[in-house]
Amino acid sequence: YSMEVVAGSYEQILFGYRFQRDSEKWMLSADFTHHAHTASVSAVAVSNRYVATGSKDETIQLYDMTKKIEHGALLHHDGTITCLEFHGNTHLLSGAEDGLICVWNVKKWECQKSIKAHKGQVTSLSVHPSGKLALSVGTDKTLRTWNLIEGRSAFIKNLKENAHIVRWSPSGQRYVVVVMNQLDIYSLETASVIGTIRHGKRISSVQFITDTLLAIAGDEEVVRLYDCESQKCLNEFRAHENRVKSIYTFGLEDFHVVISASNDGYIRVWRLDPDKVQEPLSLLCEVNTLARLTCLSVWLADPLETKEKPDTSVATEESLTLAKSKKIHWHGTSTTEGRDGESNQLPLKKKKKLQATVGKKKKKNPQSKQ
């Protein structure tokens, strides 16, 4: 199956790099660069078909990765989009500086629920693996648990300070909450802190590698691996020349992949063997984007989704508008324009294909938000 790293940047660009591997050799080859937003990209999330990006320009942009086309923009928030997360392939949750959490139906791209989640900004959210619960933290010094079935608050915990990251473990039995350089591990059963990790610098990114192994990056060049049970640091490695902004992990058959993105412009891909957690990680490949990276994810193609299917999604004018002035530059693949009117139900005459070559036309002024 194909895998692609997608990374957002301060320079408003979304980068796509395709993994290529033969036997032991890994490579990242440029797939696309897209001037996605009119301000820096602040969040990125993936499902098996879509990539969603959020920005300081207050919009969420959607890309259909199976067809290599823009899919539209979601315009509901007022303020920077701070967090995005797909639950499976059915829903997208978005949080923003306006204090709202929106639950989007992926099939119709309608905002099913708009929850006034925090008195201040929503800084982070995480959906429980069951899809029934979500956690959010905001600048009102609260950690909130949401019943997603009914779209209402289930529990509110007051924190001493504002938290900026919340994350469920893969099993959903525990979750972590980050305040500055401190990470508290909570048990779902008791909703109380069962362990604390104090990191050197302010924590910028957290990923569960397994249910008991955490990767943590701070405002420094180092990535550290911690054991959730003992809260001990098992490993640390210098990943970049500048501070690490985002990390992402996923498992393959016999090892884990840790990906790091930094202000230094590099995306680096590391190999972590489960039985050698305390040994140095090996660098599989790297690429220099020449941009200051802000966020990172990996799109894994679903073999079933990549077969051509008619697009049955119906979008309403209110929930989905397509910005016509955005260019997508697609590298190394020749794309042909789709036939007019081919299952095309977006409020646009023709879906825009991602360009294989860089056009020489002057860029139009990006469409301003209504």
Side-chain angles (χ1 to χ4, degrees):
Y1 50 90
S2 67
M3 300 184 292
E4 195 148 327
V5 178
V6 285
S9 65
Y10 283 112
E11 286 79 8
Q12 310 171 7
I13 304 285
L14 176 70
F15 295 91
Y17 290 91
R18 195 184 290 119
F19 278 114
Q20 293 182 320
R21 53 183 180 143
D22 46 63
S23 62
E24 286 301 298
K25 195 167 185 248
W26 285 56
M27 269 181 64
L28 282 174
S29 64
D31 197 11
F32 67 87
T33 52
H34 180 38
H35 198 151
H37 292 277
T38 57
S40 60
V41 181
S42 50
V44 62
V46 297
S47 69
N48 66 7
R49 179 172 174 184
Y50 296 104
V51 170
T53 56
S55 165
K56 286 193 170 178
D57 67 11
E58 307 182 359
T59 71
I60 300 165
Q61 300 287 339
L62 301 169
Y63 315 94
D64 185 331
M65 293 290 283
T66 60
K67 295 182 177 175
K68 311 294 194 194
I69 51 173
E70 273 186 321
H71 199 72
L74 305 175
L75 313 174
H76 189 89
H77 289 286
D78 291 314
T80 297
I81 311 299
T82 53
C83 42
L84 292 169
E85 189 174 312
F86 279 96
H87 174 65
N89 300 301
T90 58
H91 292 89
L92 171 69
L93 276 78
S94 59
E97 286 184 354
D98 56 10
L100 295 180
I101 290 175
C102 292
V103 181
W104 303 89
N105 176 325
V106 167
K107 204 165 186 181
K108 297 181 180 178
W109 287 115
E110 287 171 344
C111 181
Q112 278 187 334
K113 293 186 177 79
S114 181
I115 304 165
K116 181 61 180 152
H118 290 271
K119 289 185 181 122
Q121 307 169 4
V122 179
T123 49
S124 180
L125 63 82
S126 185
V127 185
H128 189 266
S130 69
K132 293 174 184 173
L133 291 176
L135 294 169
S136 67
V137 289
T139 55
D140 55 2
K141 297 184 183 173
T142 62
L143 163 67
R144 294 176 188 248
T145 309
W146 300 97
N147 176 331
L148 289 179
I149 308 298
E150 296 170 23
R152 62 176 178 80
S153 174
F155 189 70
I156 300 171
K157 181 178 171 62
N158 292 309
L159 304 170
K160 291 191 176 114
E161 293 176 77
N162 289 327
H164 63 279
I165 298 172
V166 64
R167 189 84 69 245
W168 284 104
S169 71
S171 71
Q173 290 304 304
R174 59 184 72 173
Y175 52 94
V176 296
V177 176
V178 178
V179 174
M180 292 302 288
N181 67 328
Q182 180 173 311
L183 178 143
D184 288 326
I185 304 162
Y186 287 77
S187 155
L188 168 65
E189 205 176 340
T190 61
S192 57
V193 178
I194 53 173
T196 295
I197 292 168
R198 282 180 183 82
H199 200 71
K201 298 276 175 88
R202 182 183 187 272
I203 294 169
S204 57
S205 190
V206 173
Q207 286 280 311
F208 277 94
I209 297 172
T210 66
D211 225 55
T212 55
L213 186 63
L214 269 174
I216 301 179
D219 287 346
E220 56 188 334
E221 305 84 19
V222 177
V223 173
R224 292 186 177 90
L225 307 182
Y226 288 90
D227 175 23
C228 281
E229 306 289 347
S230 67
Q231 293 93 53
K232 285 194 167 70
C233 179
L234 301 177
N235 200 340
E236 64 173 75
F237 61 100
R238 187 186 171 94
H240 292 272
E241 298 305 309
N242 208 320
R243 62 195 172 122
V244 180
K245 288 292 287 183
S246 187
I247 49 177
Y248 189 86
T249 65
F250 62 92
L252 290 174
E253 307 79 44
D254 47 358
F255 61 91
H256 299 290
V257 177
V258 179
I259 306 174
S260 56
S262 163
N263 262 4
D264 64 13
Y266 278 91
I267 297 169
R268 292 200 166 117
V269 182
W270 309 86
R271 175 181 173 134
L272 173 67
D273 288 285
D275 53 345
K276 299 176 184 171
V277 171
Q278 292 178 279
E279 292 182 20
L281 278 69
S282 54
L283 181 67
L284 290 171
C285 57
E286 62 177 16
V287 67
N288 186 0
T289 64
L290 302 172
R292 291 167 300 158
L293 300 172
T294 55
C295 51
L296 176 76
S297 193
V298 173
W299 176 72
L300 301 164
D302 182 332
L304 300 171
E305 279 284 342
T306 46
K307 288 176 187 168
E308 270 304 310
K309 281 186 184 173
D311 186 359
T312 52
S313 62
V314 179
T316 58
E317 291 276 352
E318 188 182 2
S319 67
L320 185 59
T321 57
L322 204 66
K324 298 172 194 176
S325 58
K326 307 281 172 78
K327 290 182 201 160
I328 298 186
H329 301 311
W330 213 264
H331 301 288
T333 53
S334 61
T335 57
T336 53
E337 282 290 350
R339 295 190 299 279
D340 284 355
E342 184 185 358
S343 61
N344 186 23
Q345 292 160 326
L346 289 174
L348 187 73
K349 286 174 187 162
K350 193 185 287 186
K351 282 189 185 177
K352 193 180 291 177
K353 286 276 181 183
L354 307 179
Q355 298 302 311
T357 53
V358 178
K360 290 185 180 172
K361 291 178 188 170
K362 283 185 183 168
K363 219 170 143 263
K364 298 177 206 164
N365 287 327
Q367 215 173 338
S368 60
K369 206 182 112 183
Q370 295 300 310

